Amino acid sequence: MPTYHVILVEPESSLNVGLVARAMKNFGLRDMRIVAPMFESFEKAYVAAMMASDVLREAKIFSTLEEAIKGIDVIVGTTAKPSIRVISRRAVSLREFVSEIRADTSYGFVFGRESTGLTNEELEMCDVVLNIPSSEEYPTLNLSNAASIIFYELFILKKEKEDRLYEPVPREIRELMLESIKNIIEMTDLPAYKKRRLSSLCKRILGRIYPCGLARDEAIYLLGALRSVEEKLRRVVIDVDQTGKKL
């Protein structure tokens, strides 16, 4: 079964943290990770959490988001208004994402500050960005409300959806694929700005099939092919550098 981790980035309200903890226990979630909380006392959090005080006691505190997401396969950001400025991430609806969740994969759901949400830099660290459709008149959801909706969908999935039949792609294999693609691009004659854009586009394309549209054995086979191409190009480049011949 998939495992879920809830990550709160610089929460501003102790009360909201308690409400999120309560929602987590309502829907069977346990692992809360808090990045640099902006309040000094958890007193109101424990009051709001009520019977979910154990979730708060077991919560882990981190200094940075990078530390908090370590060891998690898929990082899922949340935002009220998906931006098109960040080309390398994928924005999907909650229902679309939930329908693609895979067994034996760990997911980290990242929630931003109550006032400003996640920064673009933080969203860049995510593999997928979720948006919960809501009224255009007032689209911004309270932190605990947004979290509760997501937790509910995950709970329903656990009850109703069968596990996927094929093994998911580990995060490290995806990273190796991206590294190989970037190395191949760097060996082309493209201008530097086009190399950067092509690398971002490849990351976005790979994000569309990861982690839900590619089996582990398929990813390993593709990684082998990419590395073969990379090694062949590297030998050609070295030969050209040594002989001065043109390709």
Side-chain angles (χ1 to χ4, degrees):
M1 294 295 292
T3 57
Y4 304 120
H5 311 271
V6 178
I7 304 162
L8 307 180
V9 177
E10 296 185 0
E12 299 160 342
S13 166
S14 174
L15 179 67
N16 274 334
V17 172
L19 292 174
V20 171
R22 182 173 179 175
M24 288 175 63
K25 192 160 187 178
N26 285 151
F27 297 111
L29 304 181
R30 299 290 310 180
D31 186 41
M32 173 183 279
R33 305 183 182 192
I34 305 174
V35 178
M38 303 298 288
F39 49 84
E40 296 182 357
S41 171
F42 278 82
E43 182 178 353
K44 291 183 179 179
Y46 278 101
V47 172
M50 299 185 72
M51 298 300 292
S53 59
D54 53 330
V55 174
L56 285 177
R57 283 195 300 271
E58 296 169 7
K60 305 175 185 67
I61 308 297
F62 295 87
S63 299
T64 66
L65 176 58
E66 186 176 10
E67 293 173 348
I69 64 177
K70 188 175 182 180
I72 301 176
D73 295 323
V74 183
I75 309 304
V76 185
T78 57
T79 181
K81 297 180 180 180
S83 169
I84 61 173
R85 290 180 294 172
V86 186
I87 193 172
S88 61
R89 63 174 171 79
R90 178 188 179 199
V92 298
S93 69
L94 174 58
R95 285 291 173 88
E96 179 186 356
F97 176 77
V98 168
S99 70
E100 296 181 345
I101 284 179
R102 300 274 294 278
D104 301 321
T105 300
S106 58
Y107 296 86
F109 292 87
V110 184
F111 297 89
R113 306 151 191 83
E114 291 94 321
S115 59
T116 58
L118 296 171
T119 65
N120 275 350
E121 289 74 17
E122 290 162 345
L123 289 172
E124 281 281 8
M125 299 172 67
C126 301
D127 300 302
V128 183
V129 174
L130 290 185
N131 174 249
I132 301 174
S134 55
S135 171
E136 293 183 1
E137 184 177 355
Y138 192 24
T140 303
L141 296 173
N142 174 272
L143 170 60
S144 60
N145 290 343
S148 295
I149 292 171
I150 292 175
F151 301 162
Y152 167 78
E153 292 290 346
L154 298 177
F155 183 77
I156 293 300
L157 175 69
K158 180 180 178 181
K159 293 292 184 181
E160 298 181 351
K161 192 174 181 65
E162 295 182 356
D163 294 341
R164 298 281 180 166
L165 298 178
Y166 50 89
E167 190 176 0
V169 182
R171 184 179 181 85
E172 56 268 24
I173 292 181
R174 196 281 299 263
E175 295 297 334
L176 289 173
M177 291 171 66
L178 283 173
E179 180 182 357
S180 187
I181 290 171
K182 289 180 180 179
N183 290 339
I184 291 171
I185 292 172
E186 283 301 317
M187 286 184 280
T188 68
D189 293 329
L190 291 171
Y193 77 94
K194 286 190 175 181
K195 289 181 180 180
R196 290 193 298 270
R197 182 167 180 80
L198 183 56
S199 293
S200 293
L201 286 173
C202 288
K203 183 176 181 180
R204 184 176 182 181
I205 291 170
L206 190 57
R208 289 175 180 166
I209 60 175
Y210 171 85
C212 311
L214 194 66
R216 178 189 175 94
D217 57 343
E218 294 170 337
I220 292 175
Y221 188 86
L222 180 57
L223 176 59
L226 287 170
R227 283 182 163 175
S228 179
V229 172
E230 180 185 349
E231 182 59 29
K232 178 67 174 179
L233 284 175
R234 198 178 302 280
R235 288 198 298 268
V236 170
V237 170
I238 292 174
D239 183 60
V240 169
D241 289 341
Q242 291 177 345
T243 63
K245 295 179 181 179
K246 294 183 178 180
L247 292 175

